[in-house]
Amino acid sequence: MPPRRSHTKSRAGCQQCKTRRKKCDETGPPCMNCSPRNLDCKYPGTGFQHSHWSDQAQEIRQAQDENPTPPGKPSGDSSTKRMRELGLMHHWCLKTYRSFSPELSDIFQNYTVQLAMNHEFLMDSLLAFTCLHIAAEGTEFVPRSASILDDALRYQERALPAFRAKLVQISSSNCEALLLCSMIMMAFAAVSPFFDATNDSETNKDSETGHTSLTSIFFFVKGIHSVIESSQPWLDKSPLNSAIQLYPKEYWTASPPTGSAIPPELRSLCDHTSLQSREIYARAILMLENCSERDKGMTLAWVVEVGEAFVSLVQEKEPLALLIYICWGALIGRSKDSWWETLAGQTVVKRLKSLVSIEDEETSVVLNWASERIASEKS
């Protein structure tokens, strides 16, 4: 009996390749089949799609192919690369692990590193996020920042395909690494538009690109939900149990506290919307009012809990949805304990307010409140 041929079909290919019955190389988004055709490259079950950061990483790879590093140069030296990654890991263990909730600091400092030793996609996402942290420490952008941002892109681009493939094969052996990776990638997606804005290139000024990069955080929120829903029994028994304890429903639906920081004009604007979307907006506003003066973790949790119906309105650039999201940015931008939340919130306010037309006094009041809020935090 002739030996059986090894399996060569793509098991985790993009939707375009599956539709066209082409073998996907699974390196995207975008994959090598979709990239030359400028197709909308998406992968089933993950929510990941073509992004501005993918474009930048592809340009870096093309530049490397056209101008290969001569032998003997530091970037081609494996020992130099190893020392650089040891330096990144040292920075993570010394500083970057504090970027998340204080209650989870031990998990991110120790347990995450242990898991990363056995899951390369987690290690790459950890290193990518650390690169952004190092770049953020020098916001004046000294020359090393350009290089460290390139490294961040390369690590993130390398982590995505493996992470995406594992996300459709969640098991007891990888669910912890997937959950931690999705949390780190969510933070990466939230803060990365800040560096686009700082670089101030023509591409980054494009409103469509800016909107997409600022809402990409929601794709990773879906990843968090997917991991928790698929592996709840395993996670309940793991050290990550505290990381999946979401706020009770009554926290979000209670009457908002007196003197909520959210401008009351938001509710006036909500009353003028269609009945179909009014309930969605009212729920999102109530949740934001309830988290505005509570613990800081609840403000971050809002973006996870607000729901897909509201997310769809943000992605469709509905004015009130953008205004509510801007208010979230103003609240999270007040954080003095988390560098990435501060930068992410300030960038959301600055970049999205240009997409909102000021057609009434209420809208103007809300935008001015958000701008003044992040200005006062910076000072």
Side-chain angles (χ1 to χ4, degrees), residues 68-81:
T69 304
K73 290 289 183 180
S75 59
D77 190 325
S78 60
S79 62
T80 302
K81 178 183 177 183

Side-chain angles (χ1 to χ4, degrees), residues 249 252-253 266-267 269-288 302 305-311 313 320-321 324:
K249 183 179 179 180
W252 302 108
T253 57
L266 269 183
R267 286 206 168 271
L269 291 167
C270 179
D271 292 339
H272 299 148
T273 58
S274 66
L275 289 174
Q276 184 176 5
S277 57
R278 188 177 304 168
E279 184 177 349
I280 299 172
Y281 288 136
R283 177 178 178 272
I285 293 171
L286 176 61
M287 292 173 66
L288 205 56
W302 179 88
E305 295 282 1
V306 70
E308 291 190 18
F310 175 78
V311 172
L313 293 172
L320 183 53
I324 296 171

Side-chain angles (χ1 to χ4, degrees), residues 41-96:
C41 188
K42 297 181 181 180
Y43 288 75
T46 65
F48 298 116
Q49 64 179 17
H50 179 86
S51 68
H52 174 49
W53 281 75
S54 295
D55 287 338
Q56 291 189 25
Q58 187 176 4
E59 290 172 5
I60 291 170
R61 290 197 303 269
Q62 290 174 348
Q64 290 175 330
D65 292 339
E66 295 170 2
N67 302 289
T69 304
K73 290 289 183 180
S75 59
D77 190 325
S78 60
S79 62
T80 302
K81 178 183 177 183
R82 182 173 61 182
M83 292 302 295
R84 185 170 65 251
E85 292 187 341
L86 284 173
L88 291 173
M89 183 60 69
H90 174 71
H91 195 279
W92 170 275
C93 294
L94 192 66
K95 296 182 179 181
T96 306

